[in-house]
Amino acid sequence: MTAARDYEHLHHLVDRLSPTQVRRLRLIITEDEELSQVDQEVPEAVGGSGDEGDLLPGSFLALSGSIEAPADYAERHDDYIRERTNRERSASE
């Protein structure tokens, strides 16, 4: 159970990293003897263009628009929509 909890915790941490922090973490992983072996087993830049500066393919960015949002946006999207609707109703009254 601890391994599953650790995995989930690390998953959430990585989701909150900025692009610069992701690149730094990737560098740390590739320089570590044990972790670099695991990194070599993972396909390179899944869906990427091969440019290290591109973390997401251009087609995704065009589809999604701006991806700047709070870290929990996907989990709380109903709450955010409800808050926005309430603000718009209050402003129109």
Side-chain angles (χ1 to χ4, degrees), residues 57-67:
S59 59
F60 176 80
L61 295 175
L63 175 67
S64 67
S66 173
I67 57 172

Side-chain angles (χ1 to χ4, degrees), residues 78-92:
D78 289 339
D79 297 332
Y80 288 115
I81 291 170
R82 192 175 305 110
E83 290 170 10
R84 181 176 175 182
T85 303
N86 289 341
R87 279 195 311 268
E88 289 173 358
R89 284 184 189 154
S90 297
S92 65

Side-chain angles (χ1 to χ4, degrees), residues 8-58:
E8 286 299 316
H9 181 72
L10 286 172
H11 181 80
H12 289 293
L13 286 175
V14 170
D15 284 346
R16 300 179 126 212
L17 296 176
S18 70
T20 302
Q21 291 170 321
V22 169
R23 285 190 291 274
R24 184 172 179 201
L25 179 60
R26 178 93 189 257
L27 179 63
I28 291 169
I29 290 170
T30 58
E31 290 180 349
D32 182 273
E33 185 177 330
E34 184 178 345
L35 294 176
S36 66
Q37 293 173 3
V38 176
D39 182 56
Q40 292 171 2
E41 296 171 4
V42 178
E44 193 64 34
V46 176
S49 64
D51 181 5
E52 287 190 31
D54 293 339
L55 297 177
L56 297 172

